[in-house]
């Protein structure tokens, strides 16, 4: 009986292969060809826009109507490749994305819905719908995290980071772009990693760190030229020109913009030519070559569409500057007002700040002192807000730079999850037309998947633990410390018991890194963590929340006791024999103390502690101040 069953089993397989194999092999060939085309499109592995459009047409033609997986891939690709140069095209692109989102709204979240939402947010930002764009992008990113899809996370945070950077929100922009950069690199998506690095460099330039920006940009230019990616090379050439301009190297910057003009003349792209002329004219104005600048600007004005917020706003601003220099004040004011429309529509506060200051000069030149004063007051108000934001951004930027270990750990886990999903998808695709064999092997596959799922659960739990610990000091990291702080705060609100925090950081830590090296700096941080932990109770929490910044959470401790603890900590650290680490080293800390009063959230309490810490720094360091 057993022998007969074995014969029947192999006979069934033989019959199934004879019936299904021609269709299977034909489908396999078509699928392999379609997948190769998709890979080229996904990696932007083509030289011109026309080549990309032709690849998309081929992909559409080759996939079967009932191939649900690849049909969804086509919908996603088609969304990202909608024409969007004019206002009408942009409106149509938004309409297309919205229609597809309605079609693929269920199940939620899904990969296609998330990608379409990113696509919609991308187009909305260029149509001036900034708040809606930010909401769509943020919702898509949250969905991508739910799906544990590192590619969608990288795409979403790269797009949102670029948008926030242009608007002047550098702290959030850098956090997004740094996260995207590591994800793209871990996924080996070289083209998109380079594209994101270009945006990251531009953010550093806008943030005031043109030297760092230039270092990245020159590296990128070499890579693009080596790969013969001429459009990308020209884009980074322009970014280099802006960085050189920030550094006061105007002649070199102008030469770069002229190089871009020459390139686009060979491509016969009138809008890009006009953009290059605008950039050259901006530099000529700075060199007081007003007549030359005006010739270029008037030529550019005929070509740059109003829908292109960035180029058009610069064009309007430069025309206003040029006509002010020529003392044609009515024209200067007219163009300044047009620039305001562009800057406000694009959310470019820093550009609008420069424009408002220019407008004040125009009113003053016209003798309209009242409007000149009003406009100057507007400038001061905006400038003060931007300076305040800039200080916050600098603190956050430093935290983002020092917190890359945490981001790297989280990103590696996401990439691993994505690779596991990809392996499962490949298995399903290879066997999609072989139902008979799948039925025979289903018991074995279920057992393998069960073991694999168990290992994944164990791995996920491990990574969750790692995600809450600072890699260097083994203290709670920023996320975990703030989470526990919120818990203690709520407990204090409910019980009426006191709750205090101590914010402290290492004095002159940059000098330690610069003179003794980062390895010695790391040893100092580890020792600070060890000393502070040894002095606290088991119920207290010591966390590292930045580069050399630490936060201590003290439940059931009032302000007076917290100040006493902080003073003991400062004395202990100052008295420690730091020569054990380096013969010339003597490390101290400064601390700020704050206690819960009527705060409903942790953030105001942290701000009080930070303010106290700044007071301690101002008082000469190596001391404690309280708010």
């Amino acid at each position: 009986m057993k022998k007969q069953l074995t014969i029947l089993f192999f006979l069934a397989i033989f019959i199934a292969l004879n019936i299904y194999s021609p269709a299977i092999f034909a489908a396999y060939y078509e699928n392999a060809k379609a997948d190769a085309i998709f890979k080229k499109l996904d990696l932007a592995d083509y030289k011109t826009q026309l080549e990309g459009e032709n690849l998309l047409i081929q992909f559409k033609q080759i996939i079967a109507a009932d191939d649900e997986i690849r049909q969804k891939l086509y919908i996603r690709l088609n969304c990202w490749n909608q024409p969007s140069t004019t206002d009408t095209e942009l409106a149509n692109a938004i309409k297309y994305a919205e229609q597809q989102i309605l079609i693929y709204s269920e199940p939620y979240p899904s990969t296609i819905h998330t990608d379409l939402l990113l696509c919609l947010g991308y187009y909305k930002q260029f149509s001036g719908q900034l708040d809606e764009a930010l909401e769509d992008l943020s919702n898509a990113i949250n969905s991508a995290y739910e799906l544990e899809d590192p590619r969608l996370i990288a795409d979403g945070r790269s797009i949102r980071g670029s948008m926030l950077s242009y608007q002047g929100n550098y702290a959030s922009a850098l956090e997004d772009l740094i996260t995207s950069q590591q994800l793209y690199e871990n996924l080996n998506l070289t083209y998109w990693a380079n594209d994101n690095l270009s945006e990251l460099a531009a953010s550093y330039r806008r943030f005031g760190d043109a030297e760092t920006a230039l270092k990245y940009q020159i590296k990128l230019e070499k890579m693009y030229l080596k790969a013969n990616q001429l459009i990308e090379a020209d884009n980074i050439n322009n970014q280099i020109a802006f960085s050189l301009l920030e550094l006061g190297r105007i002649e070199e910057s102008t030469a770069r913009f002229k190089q871009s003009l020459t390139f686009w003349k060979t491509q016969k792209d009138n809008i890009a030519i006009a953009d290059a002329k605008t950039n050259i004219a901006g530099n000529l104005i700075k060199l007081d070559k007003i007549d030359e600048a005006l010739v270029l600007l008037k030529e550019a004005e005929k070509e740059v569409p109003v829908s292109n917020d960035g180029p058009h706003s610069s064009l309007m601003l430069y025309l206003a500057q040029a006509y002010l220099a020529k003392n044609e004040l009515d024209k200067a004011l007219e163009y300044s007002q047009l620039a305001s429309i562009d800057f406000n529509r694009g959310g470019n506060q820093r550009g609008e700040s420069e424009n408002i200051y220019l407008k004040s000069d125009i009113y003053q030149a016209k003798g309209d002192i009242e409007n000149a004063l009003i406009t100057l007051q507007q400038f001061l108000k905006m400038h003060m807000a931007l300076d305040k934001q800039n200080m916050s951004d600098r603190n956050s930027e430093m935290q983002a730079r020092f917190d890359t270990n945490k981001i790297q750990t989280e990103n590696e886990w996401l990439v691993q999850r994505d690779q596991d999903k990809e392996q499962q998808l490949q298995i399903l695709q290879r066997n999609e037309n072989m139902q008979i064999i799948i039925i025979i092997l289903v018991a074995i596959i279920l057992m393998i998947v069960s073991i694999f799922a168990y290992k994944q659960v164990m791995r996920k739990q491990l990574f969750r633990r790692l995600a809450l610990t600072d890699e260097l000091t083994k203290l709670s990291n920023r996320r975990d410390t703030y989470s526990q702080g919120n818990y203690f705060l709520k407990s204090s609100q409910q019980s009426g018991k006191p709750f205090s925090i101590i914010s402290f950081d290492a004095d002159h830590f940059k000098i330690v890194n610069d003179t003794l090296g980062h390895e010695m700096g790391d040893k100092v941080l580890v020792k600070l963590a060890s000393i502070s932990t040894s002095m606290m109770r088991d119920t207290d929490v010591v966390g590292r929340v930045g580069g050399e910044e630490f936060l201590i959470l003290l439940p059931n401790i009032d302000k007076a006791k917290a100040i006493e603890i902080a003073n003991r900590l400062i004395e202990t650290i100052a008295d420690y024999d730091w020569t054990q680490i380096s013969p010339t080293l003597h490390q101290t800390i400064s601390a700020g103390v704050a206690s819960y009063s009527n705060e409903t959230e942790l953030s105001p309490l942290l701000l009080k502690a930070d303010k106290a810490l700044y007071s301690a720094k101002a008082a000469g360091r190596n001391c404690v101040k309280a708010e």
Side-chain angles (χ1 to χ4, degrees):
M1 184 69 179
K2 185 176 180 181
K3 183 177 180 181
Q4 290 174 333
L5 288 173
T6 303
I7 293 171
L8 286 172
F9 170 75
F10 283 108
L11 181 61
I13 292 177
F14 176 77
I15 293 171
L17 288 173
N18 275 277
I19 293 173
Y20 289 105
S21 60
I24 290 172
F25 289 132
Y28 179 80
Y29 172 76
E30 294 298 327
N31 289 345
K33 188 175 179 181
D35 291 342
I37 294 173
F38 173 78
K39 186 175 181 181
K40 289 178 74 70
L41 288 165
D42 189 45
L43 299 178
D45 184 17
Y46 48 85
K47 300 301 181 186
T48 65
Q49 183 177 348
L50 180 60
E51 183 183 347
E53 291 171 356
N54 289 334
L55 284 171
L56 185 60
I57 293 171
Q58 291 178 42
F59 184 75
K60 173 63 175 175
Q61 291 172 342
I62 205 172
I63 56 179
D66 60 351
D67 188 342
E68 185 178 347
I69 292 174
R70 292 177 180 83
Q71 287 291 348
K72 287 181 178 179
L73 291 177
Y74 171 75
I75 295 296
R76 292 167 60 184
L77 288 170
N78 195 36
C79 185
W80 288 104
N81 286 276
Q82 292 291 303
S84 56
T85 303
T86 66
D87 287 338
T88 301
E89 289 177 342
L90 201 54
N92 289 335
I94 291 172
K95 183 178 180 181
Y96 176 85
E98 289 174 337
Q99 289 172 341
Q100 297 303 320
I101 284 172
L102 287 175
I103 293 171
Y104 295 101
S105 59
E106 297 293 339
Y108 179 84
S110 66
T111 302
I112 185 170
H113 183 273
T114 302
D115 199 24
L116 289 169
L117 200 55
L118 286 177
C119 181
L120 177 61
Y122 175 80
Y123 289 131
K124 278 184 176 179
Q125 67 172 313
F126 294 114
S127 70
Q129 303 175 55
L130 301 179
D131 292 338
E132 292 181 28
L134 185 59
E135 182 179 359
D136 288 338
L137 293 173
S138 298
N139 288 337
I141 291 167
N142 291 336
S143 297
Y145 273 105
E146 286 187 55
L147 294 167
E148 295 177 352
D149 190 320
R151 173 62 190 277
L152 285 175
I153 294 169
D155 290 344
R157 298 195 73 167
S158 181
I159 295 167
R160 186 175 68 179
S162 301
M163 175 180 167
L164 292 172
S165 173
Y166 179 74
Q167 293 176 347
N169 187 351
Y170 302 123
S172 299
L174 286 171
E175 185 177 348
D176 273 345
L177 293 170
I178 288 173
T179 300
S180 296
Q181 190 64 31
Q182 294 193 347
L183 279 170
Y184 282 137
E185 290 174 0
N186 289 340
L187 291 167
N188 294 318
L189 297 171
T190 304
Y191 178 89
W192 298 112
N194 290 342
D195 184 68
N196 186 79
L197 185 58
S198 174
E199 291 294 340
L200 186 57
S203 294
Y204 281 125
R205 172 181 62 78
R206 293 169 182 147
F207 191 54
D209 188 359
E211 289 286 359
T212 298
L214 194 59
K215 177 181 69 174
Y216 288 137
Q217 289 161 349
I218 290 174
K219 177 183 175 183
L220 279 170
E221 183 182 41
K222 290 178 181 177
M223 288 192 291
Y224 284 139
L225 289 173
K226 184 177 180 181
N228 199 33
Q229 294 173 315
L230 300 183
I231 292 177
E232 291 80 0
D234 175 77
N235 177 59
I236 206 66
N237 171 67
N238 277 295
Q239 294 297 327
I240 290 172
F242 285 122
S243 293
L244 291 169
L245 185 60
E246 290 286 335
L247 294 170
R249 295 155 65 177
I250 300 178
E251 295 293 346
E252 294 176 69
S253 172
T254 304
R256 286 274 183 174
F257 285 138
K258 287 181 177 178
Q259 180 182 326
S260 179
L261 177 61
T262 301
F263 170 75
W264 286 111
K265 283 182 177 179
T266 64
Q267 301 295 312
K268 298 180 180 178
D269 187 324
N270 291 336
I271 295 177
I273 291 170
D275 191 22
K277 288 180 179 180
T278 300
N279 292 332
I280 294 169
N283 282 11
L284 291 174
I285 291 171
K286 290 178 175 61
L287 295 171
D288 203 28
K289 298 179 179 180
I290 307 302
D291 290 332
E292 292 180 48
L294 269 174
V295 170
L296 292 174
L297 291 170
K298 297 308 289 184
E299 291 174 356
E301 189 177 12
K302 300 173 185 177
E303 302 293 345
V304 178
V306 176
S307 57
N308 289 18
D309 290 332
H312 195 266
S313 61
S314 297
L315 175 62
M316 296 298 102
L317 180 65
Y318 293 154
L319 279 165
Q321 290 174 346
Y323 280 119
L324 173 60
K326 297 281 289 183
N327 205 34
E328 295 184 36
L329 304 179
D330 289 337
K331 284 187 177 181
L333 185 59
E334 177 187 351
Y335 281 112
S336 175
Q337 289 168 343
L338 291 173
S340 284
I341 295 172
D342 289 337
F343 285 131
N344 289 322
R345 183 169 63 172
N348 188 347
Q349 294 185 59
R350 295 184 185 274
E352 176 60 0
S353 174
E354 182 182 355
N355 183 48
I356 288 174
Y357 189 80
L358 173 67
K359 195 178 293 183
S360 176
D361 285 344
I362 297 170
Y363 280 127
Q364 186 176 355
K366 287 171 70 69
D368 188 347
I369 303 303
E370 181 180 354
N371 276 322
L373 181 59
I374 292 171
T375 312
L376 187 58
Q377 288 172 338
Q378 290 175 352
F379 167 77
L380 290 173
K381 184 178 180 180
M382 179 177 285
H383 196 67
M384 288 176 68
L386 290 172
D387 281 347
K388 184 177 180 181
Q389 177 66 39
N390 189 51
M391 181 174 290
S392 172
D393 287 345
R394 288 193 179 278
N395 289 334
S396 300
E397 187 251 357
M398 291 303 294
Q399 289 172 0
R401 290 197 188 193
F402 281 108
D403 215 14
T404 52
N405 285 338
K406 181 197 74 174
I407 294 172
Q408 179 67 18
T409 300
E410 293 174 344
N411 289 349
E412 286 175 355
W413 175 76
L414 285 167
V415 171
Q416 181 61 48
R417 289 284 297 170
D418 186 63
Q419 291 171 348
D420 295 337
K421 289 179 183 178
E422 184 64 27
Q423 289 174 3
Q424 294 177 32
L425 181 61
Q426 289 174 1
I427 291 170
L428 290 172
Q429 288 175 344
R430 284 193 216 103
N431 295 281
E432 59 188 0
N433 294 315
M434 301 178 68
Q435 293 90 345
I436 296 176
I437 298 175
I438 289 174
I439 292 171
I440 297 170
L441 298 176
V442 67
I444 299 172
I445 293 174
L446 283 173
M447 183 175 63
I448 294 172
V449 169
S450 297
I451 296 171
F452 178 78
Y454 173 76
K455 289 183 178 180
Q456 288 302 105
V457 169
M458 294 299 101
R459 180 181 297 169
K460 187 172 183 178
Q461 291 177 351
L462 172 62
F463 279 125
R464 281 178 177 170
R465 287 196 299 273
L466 291 174
L468 299 176
T469 304
D470 177 62
E471 184 178 0
L472 176 65
T473 62
K474 309 308 177 188
L475 298 176
S476 293
N477 65 11
R478 184 184 183 192
R479 176 191 294 173
D480 189 38
T481 304
Y482 285 2
S483 175
Q484 295 193 63
N486 279 310
Y487 171 76
F488 288 146
L489 184 66
K490 289 178 182 176
S491 296
S492 293
Q493 290 170 345
Q494 294 170 359
S495 66
K497 293 181 180 179
F499 169 51
S500 300
I501 63 175
I502 300 172
S503 176
F504 75 89
D505 68 8
D507 293 331
H508 304 298
F509 189 70
K510 186 177 186 302
I511 296 175
V512 175
N513 276 334
D514 290 345
T515 57
L516 301 178
H518 288 278
E519 184 177 353
M520 287 297 180
D522 287 348
K523 289 182 179 180
V524 169
L525 293 175
V526 170
K527 179 51 67 176
L528 289 175
S530 173
I531 293 173
S532 54
T533 303
S534 68
M535 296 179 64
M536 302 302 147
R537 304 168 298 173
D538 291 340
T539 54
D540 300 332
V541 175
V542 181
R544 182 185 178 204
V545 296
E548 68 271 25
E549 298 175 11
F550 297 80
L551 186 66
I552 302 175
L553 307 177
L554 301 170
N556 301 326
I557 295 292
D558 59 23
K559 183 186 288 188
K561 187 65 175 177
I563 293 172
E564 181 184 331
I565 293 169
N567 277 313
R568 282 205 308 270
L569 177 62
I570 282 182
E571 290 170 5
T572 302
I573 289 172
D575 293 338
Y576 178 76
D577 184 12
W578 292 98
T579 58
Q580 296 179 47
I581 294 178
S582 176
T584 60
L585 178 64
H586 179 70
Q587 185 64 56
T588 62
I589 65 169
S590 300
V593 174
S595 295
Y596 164 70
S597 53
N598 58 353
E599 291 84 1
T600 58
E601 295 181 353
L602 185 63
S603 296
L605 194 59
L606 293 173
L607 287 173
K608 285 166 61 176
D610 284 344
K611 187 176 179 181
L613 175 58
Y614 293 145
S615 297
K617 293 284 188 183
R621 295 183 171 83
N622 193 25
C623 63
V624 176
K625 295 292 180 182
E627 279 288 323

